[in-house]
Amino acid sequence: MKTRLKWLYLLLLVATVAAAGSFVAADCASQGVDEGDSAKERADRPADTPAPTSEDAVAPPAALEVPANALRFVRGDKAEDVAVSVSVGTPGHYPPREGEVGIGGFFELPELLEVSVWSEDVNAHEVYARSEDNKDAFWSVLPANRDPNEPQVVTLRPASPIKVEVVDPAGEPLSGAKVRLSRGLIGMVHQTQMTSDAGEALFGAIPQGDFQLSVYADGFVRHTRHLLHAYRADSEVATTQVVLDRGATVAGRVIDEFGVPVVGADVEIIPVSPFANEILDADFLAQVGVASQIGKSDAQGRFSMGGIATGGVQVRAEAVGYGSALSALIRVKGNTSTRIKDLVLSREVRRDDLLVRIYVRDASVELNSVELRVPKGKNDAGRLCRGQRVNARDWRFVNCGMGSRELVATSAAGVQLHWEGMLEAESEITLNSPRRVEIFVVDALGSPVSGAMVQIWQDGRLLLDANSLGARPINFDTALPFKASIVARDARRGAGQKVVNIGANAANQAANEERAVVTLDRGLFELSLPPGVVNSGEEIEGYLGAQIVQDDQQWIVDFVAEDSSAGQAGIQRGDRILVVRRVGAKVEVTVSRDGNRIQVTL
């Protein structure tokens, strides 16, 4: 028998045995179940002797056909037929069977199909019924009818509502929390409500008795308690308050065997069983209401799930087209965060392995890594395959598949070389050599400048941050085509900017270098780069909380109060401003002091 069913039957049997001793004996007496005459009494009764009648067993209308294994519902001591809403939970049938029964009508019970772990019949149903006017109800476990041809008569007793207030540890109401009411820890029938904006859930027409209350909300630990409900004839509603504690968080990532993120994988937090030395299945736990969290991995394969109770858990992941993975046992504690090792799923779909021989026009260029990616608009778009080096020229891509691919090769110098085209099981490709850009900085008269700040910006990304070398160039290697802006700043001489645009056809030219000369012929506060740059002296003074003065091309910090932003960040009087830029909610300030570049964040 499967583990899931084994646990279901084990826990169900415990609940059923307890119910048989308490619910059936007590509830059937207090809530009114008339099982009718015994089979022996019916057999001993003469054929012409009418069946005994009582106020609790009114004969149904003769014209109404009675189905097998049926229930008939009456109200109170006078045993008046009553219209009801019914929900019946039966082993082997999920979800519970529900229906409406008119006055004098019958409700047919599902067939009992299941046996316990000891191969004994589980002869019980759980029944919840409430009258049409919500004044009376019945909720208990009923044994199977001894005579399937005779209906069991169920008497509804006065019922009253239950209100549950759900708050967080600070006492603030929690809206959207799930509140579950059942007859036992694992009820075959249960009622679930969502809390309102005021953090309240209301259950109407609940008969008196012992109930199990479970409350859970995202980011909080599930709360379970016994609830003893007594009937109230007055207008007051029985109210109980539940405080949900913030639980632990478990985060991680789901990838395949090649390190590619698995998107949309089902991720389950599985608590260790308190009953035995094995792991309970999360699907089963979710059905029966024991604490378990179920989520999915995002576009980067990441997941983060909170509201986990203190204790031991395992994390399981599975996805369509992949196998499954189970983490090692981890211990978590409330209001803390734990990151686990990547969960690796093996692909069930097998693709061709590729062997690609890669040449670079400049034979001296060494490749450190190579990746293939499926282009946009293709099946599996974005899927990444990492190459495995076979020798100096050959790279193997396992389970990557043939077809249109984008290739990115990274050289030992960190330059990315790109190629796009069709690949077969064995292919040869040639990459353009990296292009070297030689960068010089000169002043307005054309004289070389040493120590100027030099940056290369491309689409908001910083590609290079260096200092000029006077008559010697700054060497920057790049793949083609290449277009970017070079920005140079010197605290005494001003600033300059130059756009470099090298087309792909430059790879066929004999020269392998490109020269870029940046002239410092503009003011420090006249450039549009870097992104977020602040070019207003007044605004800069506001950020610094200090005064700055201009001396030709220089902007010098004049007065710095110790309690100002600049003073607390370590900026001193006499520092020369190079650049001020906004980075998110903060401000980044770069100054020159004694020929050294200093950067602080305000």
Side-chain angles (χ1 to χ4, degrees):
M1 182 177 292
K2 294 182 179 179
T3 302
R4 179 181 305 183
L5 292 178
K6 174 182 174 182
W7 279 106
L8 176 59
Y9 297 141
L10 177 60
L11 296 176
L12 177 61
L13 191 64
V14 172
T16 304
V17 170
S22 58
F23 297 161
V24 175
D27 289 342
C28 291
S30 64
Q31 300 190 46
V33 177
D34 184 355
E35 300 180 12
D37 302 328
S38 68
K40 183 177 184 302
E41 289 172 336
R42 287 193 297 272
D44 294 340
R45 186 187 307 140
D48 57 350
T49 303
T53 61
S54 71
E55 293 181 342
D56 285 338
V58 179
L64 191 61
E65 183 179 352
V66 180
N69 295 315
L71 298 179
R72 174 170 164 249
F73 299 92
V74 297
R75 184 203 301 268
D77 295 332
K78 294 184 179 180
E80 298 173 343
D81 286 317
V82 62
V84 296
S85 296
V86 187
S87 181
V88 175
T90 302
H93 296 274
Y94 186 85
R97 180 176 294 182
E98 298 181 343
E100 305 288 333
V101 178
I103 294 177
F106 299 93
F107 186 89
E108 185 176 359
L109 292 170
E111 183 181 356
L112 288 165
L113 302 175
E114 301 299 325
V115 295
S116 72
V117 290
W118 295 285
S119 299
E120 297 177 355
D121 291 339
V122 181
N123 293 318
H125 304 272
E126 185 174 345
V127 178
Y128 171 75
R130 61 175 175 82
S131 62
E132 198 172 36
D133 57 10
N134 282 326
K135 292 182 178 180
D136 301 281
F138 175 92
W139 195 346
S140 185
V141 174
L142 294 181
N145 199 348
R146 289 177 294 185
D147 185 351
N149 296 317
E150 291 289 335
Q152 291 191 73
V153 178
V154 177
T155 302
L156 278 62
R157 298 296 183 185
S160 57
I162 295 175
K163 183 168 71 174
V164 181
E165 297 176 346
V166 183
V167 298
D168 65 13
E172 294 297 321
L174 281 176
S175 64
K178 293 182 180 179
V179 183
R180 179 181 183 272
L181 189 68
S182 63
R183 255 309 199 178
L185 177 63
I186 302 179
M188 290 184 286
V189 173
H190 59 264
Q191 297 187 37
T192 302
Q193 300 281 354
M194 301 286 287
T195 56
S196 64
D197 291 341
E200 297 176 349
L202 184 66
F203 298 91
I206 304 298
Q208 66 181 19
D210 189 14
F211 295 90
Q212 193 80 14
L213 184 67
S214 296
V215 184
Y216 48 103
D218 291 342
F220 294 84
V221 177
R222 181 189 297 262
H223 178 96
T224 302
R225 69 164 67 165
H226 285 288
L227 183 64
L228 187 61
H229 177 56
Y231 168 69
R232 302 189 64 153
D234 55 24
S235 59
E236 293 293 326
V237 177
T239 303
T240 185
Q241 187 180 79
V242 173
V243 180
L244 292 186
D245 294 327
R246 297 189 183 277
T249 298
V250 172
R253 192 170 65 128
V254 185
I255 59 175
D256 67 10
E257 64 266 50
F258 309 110
V260 180
V262 178
V263 181
D266 293 320
V267 182
E268 302 164 333
I269 304 296
I270 309 173
V272 175
S273 167
F275 306 108
N277 187 25
E278 60 180 279
I279 303 301
L280 291 178
D281 181 84
D283 295 334
F284 162 71
L285 293 172
Q287 289 180 13
V288 301
V290 180
S292 175
Q293 285 73 26
I294 300 177
K296 287 187 176 294
S297 59
D298 64 13
Q300 285 74 45
R302 297 173 301 195
F303 64 88
S304 180
M305 303 167 71
I308 304 170
T310 298
V313 298
Q314 285 187 293
V315 184
R316 184 177 64 196
E318 57 187 3
V320 177
Y322 298 82
S324 62
L326 187 67
S327 75
L329 178 66
I330 57 175
R331 300 286 177 181
V332 297
K333 188 176 180 181
N335 208 22
T336 62
S337 182
T338 301
R339 182 172 182 82
I340 66 171
K341 292 182 178 179
D342 290 346
L343 296 173
V344 181
L345 305 185
S346 298
R347 287 180 178 268
E348 295 177 352
V349 178
R350 296 301 303 173
R351 302 177 179 86
D352 293 322
D353 292 351
L354 304 183
L355 182 64
V356 182
R357 175 161 292 182
I358 303 175
Y359 295 98
V360 183
R361 294 188 186 278
D362 182 352
S364 65
V365 175
E366 181 182 350
L367 301 181
N368 273 3
S369 64
V370 182
E371 295 178 345
L372 291 179
R373 189 181 299 274
V374 179
K376 293 181 180 179
K378 305 294 183 181
N379 291 335
D380 286 346
R383 181 168 55 83
L384 186 68
C385 304
R386 291 186 171 88
Q388 302 172 4
R389 186 192 296 273
V390 178
N391 52 47
R393 293 284 178 245
D394 295 337
W395 294 78
R396 185 181 303 280
F397 300 87
V398 178
N399 199 43
C400 193
M402 298 182 291
S404 178
R405 297 291 182 266
E406 297 173 348
L407 182 145
V408 179
T410 304
S411 72
V415 180
Q416 289 190 340
L417 307 177
H418 297 263
W419 177 92
E420 184 173 352
M422 298 293 295
L423 290 178
E424 302 294 335
E426 295 186 5
S427 304
E428 291 186 0
I429 66 172
T430 300
L431 301 177
N432 290 327
S433 302
R435 189 74 167 181
R436 171 159 292 179
V437 180
E438 295 182 341
I439 303 171
F440 298 87
V441 178
V442 298
D443 62 18
L445 300 178
S447 300
V449 175
S450 297
M453 182 176 75
V454 179
Q455 295 180 329
I456 299 180
W457 290 90
Q458 183 184 64
D459 299 327
R461 295 182 299 118
L462 180 63
L463 304 183
L464 173 73
D465 189 356
N467 291 325
S468 62
L469 302 175
R472 293 183 294 118
I474 300 173
N475 294 323
F476 177 74
D477 294 331
T478 182
L480 299 182
F482 176 73
K483 182 178 181 180
S485 294
I486 304 176
V487 176
R489 292 175 180 271
D490 183 87
R492 298 177 183 273
R493 299 176 178 86
Q497 181 171 328
K498 183 179 181 63
V499 175
V500 177
N501 190 355
I502 310 173
N505 57 1
N508 300 321
Q509 299 175 3
N512 202 32
E513 293 88 17
E514 187 83 16
R515 175 170 292 194
V517 179
V518 183
T519 303
L520 303 178
D521 55 0
R522 302 170 67 178
L524 286 171
F525 294 169
E526 295 180 14
L527 302 185
S528 59
L529 288 174
V533 65
V534 180
N535 285 328
S536 165
E538 184 177 350
E539 194 173 353
I540 292 173
E541 287 184 332
Y543 286 128
L544 296 176
Q547 296 177 1
I548 60 174
V549 295
Q550 185 177 11
D551 180 10
D552 194 15
Q553 293 293 340
Q554 305 178 72
W555 286 89
I556 304 172
V557 179
D558 185 25
F559 174 76
V560 182
E562 291 184 1
D563 59 350
S564 65
S565 299
Q568 293 178 357
I571 294 177
Q572 302 175 6
R573 185 183 185 191
D575 288 345
R576 291 171 170 81
I577 300 292
L578 274 173
V579 63
V580 178
R581 61 185 294 246
R582 303 181 193 89
V583 182
K586 298 183 178 181
V587 175
E588 188 178 271
V589 180
T590 305
V591 300
S592 175
R593 181 188 302 165
D594 299 328
N596 298 314
R597 199 196 319 172
I598 300 172
Q599 186 179 85
V600 299
T601 301
L602 306 180

